Amino acid sequence: MKNLFNIFIFISLIINSSIALEVKVISTSGDVKCRFGVEEQWSDVKSGIILKEIDTILTGKNGQVTLQFSDGTHFKLGANAILDIADLRKVNDQELFLFLMDRKVDKIEKKEEATPLRIGNVSVVHGTSQDTAQLTSQKLELETPERVKNGIIALFDQEFFPNTIMKIHKIKDEGELSQNCGELYFYLGRSFELIDHPGQALEAYQKVIKGNEDAECSQTEWVKQASTGIKRLQEQ
Amino acid sequence: MVRVNQVKSSFHIVNRYQMNHFHFIRILTILLCISGVVRAQGIARPNSAGIRFGSWSKDLSGFRFFSTGQEGLGASVSTFFYFTTHFINNWYWEFNIGGIGDAVINAETEEVTEITGFVPMVFGLRNDFLFHQSPGRFQPYYSFGLGPYILATETNTYEGTETETALKFGMYGGTGINLNFTSWFAFNVDLKYHFINMSIGSPASGFNLNFGISFMWGKKREIFRIRETRLIVSDIYPSYYYFYNTYPLALVTVQNTAGFPIEVNVRSKVSPFSSRVKESGFIELPEGETKDIPVMAIFESNITEISKREPAVLDIEVEGRAGTIHTEQISAQIMVHSRNAWDGQTEKLSFFVTPDVTEIIQFSRNLVNTIVDSQQIKVKNILYAKSIFNELSAQGLRYQSDPNIPFYQDDRVQFPDETLKMGSGDCDDLTVLYASLLESLGIKTAFVEVRDPEKELAHLYLIFDSGVSEEYKHLVSSNEKRYLIRENHANKTSVWIPVETTLITRGFEEAWKAGALNYLQEAQMKNGLSEGWVQVIDVK
């Protein structure tokens, strides 16, 4: 029986993962760019283009983009956000469970502080005309933690809760989670709560409070919200 | 019976044929010396039969075959037929039937005045107590048993002949030595004390010393049994021949059936590809235990010259020793493949990576010697990799599928110098060549093996260590999808670059992009890594 269950999960994962995700850009406003696959360059996005799972989309301070899935549903990415199209792939409970289990099994203590970015020596290794300094500065300019956070909030707001959880975990793996006074931990807790995972939600809320104590954040909004969440869960 | 007693007293009469202590010890010493010189060869067979001749005495000092005394000439001889069969461990059943005769001859008339005889028919047990410790063919034992003794006395007087017979029960205990000349023939010395009428005090009780010969038959007694032989490697691939020097080709399951601890040694060789015998060394095998003993072989380097598949025989000899030695031979057929054959296991592909071959070192060093830029020291591995790849491309190296060989299931991999000479190769040939060139510069590499369940054929490409630590990953690319971060043994992370080596004609940049795209889609997005159909295997 257990084997059958495992086979079922495996097959469902294969089927799920083998369907390539594509989204159509149906409207843009302001500054919207995309990066195709493994390219270095960012390109301007126009309505009507198709973005694939391997691509990344980014909005400027005044930018906004609406994406359409193959089933006709929409996803809106607000200003100053960055998101991998792969992060929009529908994630079911089983996939989320396996993802979280995988992280538990391979759990390696990551440093909680963000890796400081340093500009090193200039090099040209890609055969392109752009040197690393330019690329690095472009990265610093475009792929800011603020944009990443806004991308996550967009996922949360449009009820992509498993995707929110997975994205936050990926950021957590890179050690970039504690810069926001526990805000992302709050979204993590809330997403877990909304998909009925109270244990993990409680754990995330507690990290919001602990994170604020450690980091001495002046902002207490997330602490309040997390405390409310804990109370709510305890009453259930 | 009174007469019998009188006859026996004559044994104490000193005469020149008497066997005293000195003679007895001298014979024993000679036997011991012979047994020490002759090395152990056989092992006791389960059955034996023999004949012994000897003499009889009330005590050890009085053995004599012939004597002269006050009462006339005397003679005391014995003859025994005996049969033994194995019982358990060191124990044998034995059956002795014989005759012990004692005669007194009148010195004047030269007529036999009295004959006393015993016919023992005794059944007992013998224990070869040094069976597993005795260094050679010398096999001492002790024995005991019981049975009926028929006593007969014939006295010749002037009045006529008087005969008395009696049936007595008795028992015996004794010791002896077997000296095995071959596995079927032995010389025997046996000393027993017979308690006739179950009593030491009985006038007929006494020692019996005999010398004899034994003939053994039956299957040699085994001290171990080969329970199973499992062939682990039935196909030998010459490219990784030295791997087999430390990896077992087979497992032999040996059970100790001796009933005492033994030592087992396994010898093996692959005919005709190994000139030397590989030994496991003597392994202790406690009483009754079973052990799996690995069978390995030493292959000579000329095995790498084989251009087509050839059958070979794995000869295994299991030797058990415990004083005596018992050997058994088994053999199994194996297949030795051609030098370029590969069994498809990616970890074994490392054996084709030869960074220390002169042509490879020359190729890579000639190129990188032209790259001198201290400003770019952090990314020098990438510069080297790019330079080598583009040079291969410039030399016209191209992708070429393996030849179709009928009935030949192996994949074929070219050694790096062969690919350089031929100017073409398939994905594994090109990957092996590129890995060899990078490794020759000290750049760590790893194979990425893709066995996509949706595709029929497996694929292979390379990743290499840029030497750039994770901290400086932005120096490599602004797009994190173009590389992967790997941790080394010292828990330090660095940036690794995927390269699709089949795109050799399109240059490094395109090959990098394709490699990165492959890795992104297959390993990450399609969960190939977590599902196990994408594997990263370090070249070691």
Side-chain angles (χ1 to χ4, degrees):
Chain A
M1 198 65 191
K2 192 181 169 186
N3 287 341
L4 280 174
F5 178 70
N6 287 339
I7 290 165
F8 170 73
I9 288 179
F10 182 71
I11 291 168
S12 61
L13 278 179
I14 285 177
I15 292 166
N16 196 24
S17 59
S18 63
I19 301 165
L21 175 68
E22 285 183 350
V23 291
K24 187 179 179 182
V25 177
I26 55 167
S27 72
T28 64
S29 67
D31 194 13
V32 180
K33 290 178 183 298
C34 78
R35 185 172 59 191
F36 297 107
V38 295
E39 296 293 336
E40 299 281 2
Q41 305 300 322
W42 291 92
S43 314
D44 290 332
V45 173
K46 289 176 185 171
S47 296
I49 68 161
I50 304 289
L51 295 175
K52 293 181 178 174
E53 203 170 348
I54 56 171
D55 302 331
T56 307
I57 192 157
L58 173 148
T59 56
K61 285 184 179 172
N62 58 346
Q64 190 176 327
V65 62
T66 304
L67 307 170
Q68 188 182 45
F69 294 99
S70 55
D71 62 359
T73 56
H74 291 173
F75 182 88
K76 281 184 185 173
L77 188 66
N80 205 26
I82 188 168
L83 202 64
D84 286 324
I85 301 303
D87 292 330
L88 293 172
R89 191 165 55 83
K90 292 283 181 191
V91 178
N92 58 34
D93 280 352
Q94 288 159 350
E95 198 175 348
L96 178 65
F97 171 75
L98 291 174
F99 173 85
L100 295 172
M101 285 303 290
D102 188 45
R103 262 159 181 72
K104 273 191 179 175
V105 170
D106 299 331
K107 198 170 187 178
I108 301 166
E109 280 301 318
K110 295 280 177 184
K111 53 193 173 203
E112 287 297 319
E113 289 176 13
T115 307
L117 278 175
R118 286 168 56 185
I119 297 171
N121 300 317
V122 174
S123 65
V124 180
V125 291
H126 314 305
T128 62
S129 58
Q130 197 167 26
D131 67 25
T132 308
Q134 285 172 306
L135 293 171
T136 305
S137 60
Q138 191 182 42
K139 176 181 168 64
L140 286 172
E141 186 193 330
L142 300 178
E143 296 178 50
T144 59
E146 189 66 16
R147 277 205 167 102
V148 174
K149 186 187 80 178
N150 288 339
I152 290 169
I153 292 170
L155 286 171
F156 178 81
D157 287 343
Q158 288 163 80
E159 299 184 357
F160 281 67
F161 300 126
N163 300 56
T164 308
I165 292 165
M166 285 170 76
K167 183 73 177 176
I168 291 173
H169 273 89
K170 283 175 191 168
I171 303 263
K172 190 179 160 191
D173 288 349
E174 291 171 8
E176 295 173 7
L177 202 58
S178 62
Q179 287 183 327
N180 43 68
C181 289
E183 183 181 358
L184 287 180
Y185 270 122
F186 167 75
Y187 284 111
L188 182 66
R190 190 71 184 130
S191 298
F192 271 127
E193 189 182 348
L194 290 166
I195 60 166
D196 203 19
H197 287 219
Q200 285 151 307
L202 200 61
E203 197 180 328
Y205 286 146
Q206 282 163 347
K207 279 187 178 168
V208 176
I209 295 163
K210 192 173 181 299
N212 275 280
E213 283 169 2
D214 294 347
E216 295 176 353
C217 286
S218 57
Q219 194 172 356
T220 55
E221 183 192 343
W222 308 114
V223 177
K224 281 180 192 169
Q225 296 225 31
S227 302
T228 311
I230 291 170
K231 201 175 173 184
R232 193 167 51 240
L233 287 167
Q234 284 171 343
E235 282 170 1
Q236 282 178 6
Chain B
M1 290 305 293
V2 174
R3 184 64 186 153
V4 171
N5 205 21
Q6 286 170 345
V7 171
K8 282 183 189 160
S9 65
S10 68
F11 293 165
H12 298 287
I13 299 167
V14 178
N15 60 77
R16 63 192 171 100
Y17 297 108
Q18 188 172 5
M19 183 185 286
N20 57 24
H21 280 106
F22 177 73
H23 290 112
F24 183 68
I25 291 166
R26 194 159 61 178
I27 288 169
L28 276 179
T29 308
I30 291 166
L31 286 173
L32 282 169
C33 289
I34 293 168
S35 67
V37 170
V38 182
R39 282 180 63 79
Q41 180 199 41
I43 192 158
R45 292 178 188 271
N47 309 307
S48 70
I51 185 165
R52 295 187 189 114
F53 301 98
S55 184
W56 191 91
S57 171
K58 189 73 180 168
D59 58 51
L60 283 171
S61 63
F63 291 110
R64 62 104 174 86
F65 295 99
F66 301 101
S67 64
T68 54
Q70 291 172 342
E71 295 183 29
L73 292 167
S76 176
V77 292
S78 59
T79 303
F80 271 93
F81 293 99
Y82 60 94
F83 171 76
T84 63
T85 189
H86 184 243
F87 172 40
I88 189 168
N89 295 339
N90 296 341
W91 291 95
Y92 292 80
W93 295 113
E94 70 171 12
F95 177 68
N96 289 274
I97 181 164
I100 300 170
D102 191 87
V104 177
I105 303 162
N106 188 309
E108 290 175 6
T109 61
E110 293 185 354
E111 284 180 358
V112 175
T113 54
E114 185 182 276
I115 298 173
T116 307
F118 307 88
V119 181
M121 290 182 286
V122 285
F123 186 75
L125 281 167
R126 189 187 89 191
N127 184 279
D128 292 4
F129 57 94
L130 290 181
F131 181 76
H132 57 288
Q133 290 161 335
S134 173
R137 296 176 176 185
F138 173 69
Q139 202 57 256
Y141 61 86
Y142 62 86
S143 60
F144 53 86
L146 49 80
Y149 288 75
I150 300 166
L151 270 69
T153 305
E154 186 181 289
T155 310
N156 292 319
T157 63
Y158 295 110
E159 294 165 0
T161 302
E162 188 182 323
T163 304
E164 283 181 48
T165 57
L167 179 66
K168 303 284 183 186
F169 279 94
M171 59 185 182
Y172 70 90
T175 184
I177 301 160
N178 273 320
L179 180 62
N180 299 320
F181 283 95
T182 69
S183 65
W184 56 269
F185 177 72
F187 183 72
N188 174 254
V189 180
D190 185 84
L191 177 69
K192 284 185 172 69
Y193 189 88
H194 294 268
F195 304 84
I196 296 168
N197 218 15
M198 301 290 187
S199 163
I200 298 173
S202 165
S205 296
F207 284 101
N208 181 214
L209 177 67
N210 286 289
F211 299 88
I213 51 171
S214 300
F215 295 92
M216 286 89 78
W217 72 91
K219 193 182 172 189
K220 281 185 188 176
R221 186 183 154 189
E222 61 178 22
I223 56 173
F224 65 84
R225 187 171 298 158
I226 297 175
R227 308 293 302 187
E228 191 183 5
T229 306
R230 276 168 288 164
L231 208 55
I232 298 170
V233 178
S234 56
D235 294 87
I236 303 291
Y237 291 86
S239 56
Y240 23 102
Y241 72 92
Y242 49 89
F243 162 78
Y244 301 115
N245 292 346
T246 53
Y247 190 83
L249 302 181
L251 277 179
V252 180
T253 308
V254 181
Q255 185 186 17
N256 179 345
T257 55
F260 44 78
I262 63 167
E263 288 181 321
V264 178
N265 183 22
V266 175
R267 296 189 185 89
S268 50
K269 64 183 284 191
V270 175
S271 305
F273 297 107
S274 47
S275 57
R276 286 175 291 165
V277 171
K278 178 83 175 176
E279 296 198 29
S280 68
F282 279 96
I283 297 163
E284 239 178 66
L285 196 55
E287 180 182 344
E289 278 199 14
T290 302
K291 263 188 189 170
D292 286 338
I293 302 172
V295 177
M296 290 186 271
I298 301 169
F299 290 97
E300 307 300 327
S301 59
N302 61 7
I303 196 173
T304 58
E305 290 161 16
I306 296 167
S307 57
K308 61 182 176 61
R309 280 197 300 181
E310 284 181 34
V313 177
L314 170 62
D315 291 314
I316 304 167
E317 182 184 84
V318 183
E319 179 187 281
R321 75 175 182 191
T324 49
I325 292 172
H326 175 203
T327 56
E328 279 198 30
Q329 279 99 19
I330 36 176
S331 57
Q333 182 162 329
I334 55 175
M335 190 62 75
V336 178
H337 294 247
S338 86
R339 69 187 298 271
N340 291 109
W342 171 48
D343 64 359
Q345 292 181 45
T346 306
E347 60 269 26
K348 303 271 183 62
L349 205 58
S350 292
F351 289 101
F352 289 91
V353 177
T354 54
D356 53 344
V357 169
T358 311
E359 291 91 328
I360 298 299
I361 296 174
Q362 273 177 352
F363 187 98
S364 56
R365 288 199 183 161
N366 287 344
L367 272 174
V368 300
N369 285 342
T370 61
I371 305 168
V372 181
D373 191 343
S374 60
Q375 289 295 307
Q376 297 173 341
I377 196 72
K378 275 198 163 54
V379 289
K380 83 174 184 330
N381 283 2
I382 305 177
L383 294 176
Y384 289 171
K386 179 184 175 184
S387 173
I388 288 170
F389 197 90
N390 288 342
E391 179 60 24
L392 291 173
S393 182
Q395 288 194 6
L397 206 74
R398 59 192 168 77
Y399 177 85
Q400 176 63 56
S401 301
D402 275 339
N404 289 327
I405 304 171
F407 312 112
Y408 201 171
Q409 300 301 314
D410 293 329
D411 202 342
R412 185 182 185 280
V413 180
Q414 291 163 188
F415 283 92
D417 50 325
E418 291 175 321
T419 307
L420 273 182
K421 280 176 200 159
M422 290 182 191
S424 63
D426 72 349
C427 66
D428 41 55
D429 303 329
L430 296 171
T431 305
V432 162
L433 169 63
Y434 195 43
S436 301
L437 290 164
L438 294 182
E439 292 277 347
S440 74
L441 297 171
I443 300 171
K444 287 192 170 64
T445 58
F447 299 121
V448 180
E449 182 202 47
V450 183
R451 294 183 185 272
D452 191 338
E454 292 171 12
K455 293 175 185 170
E456 197 176 326
L457 291 173
H459 183 56
L460 194 79
Y461 55 94
L462 194 76
I463 57 171
F464 70 88
D465 187 357
S466 69
V468 178
S469 65
E470 189 181 7
E471 188 183 356
Y472 295 105
K473 60 186 180 185
H474 55 279
L475 293 178
V476 175
S477 171
S478 65
N479 189 347
E480 293 185 352
K481 291 170 184 167
R482 291 193 65 151
Y483 53 76
L484 54 147
I485 305 292
R486 296 188 80 211
E487 203 171 71
N488 65 16
H489 296 299
N491 294 329
K492 287 186 178 172
T493 49
S494 61
V495 176
W496 286 63
I497 311 273
V499 182
E500 178 50 81
T501 44
T502 53
L503 297 185
I504 192 76
T505 55
R506 289 161 64 178
F508 182 73
E509 181 65 20
E510 287 298 314
W512 179 2
K513 271 190 199 175
L517 199 59
N518 282 350
Y519 192 83
L520 177 70
Q521 289 179 319
E522 293 166 337
Q524 295 176 337
M525 291 190 165
K526 289 173 79 179
N527 299 317
L529 266 183
S530 56
E531 286 170 14
W533 51 268
V534 173
Q535 287 193 321
V536 178
I537 298 138
D538 286 292
V539 173
K540 287 176 186 168

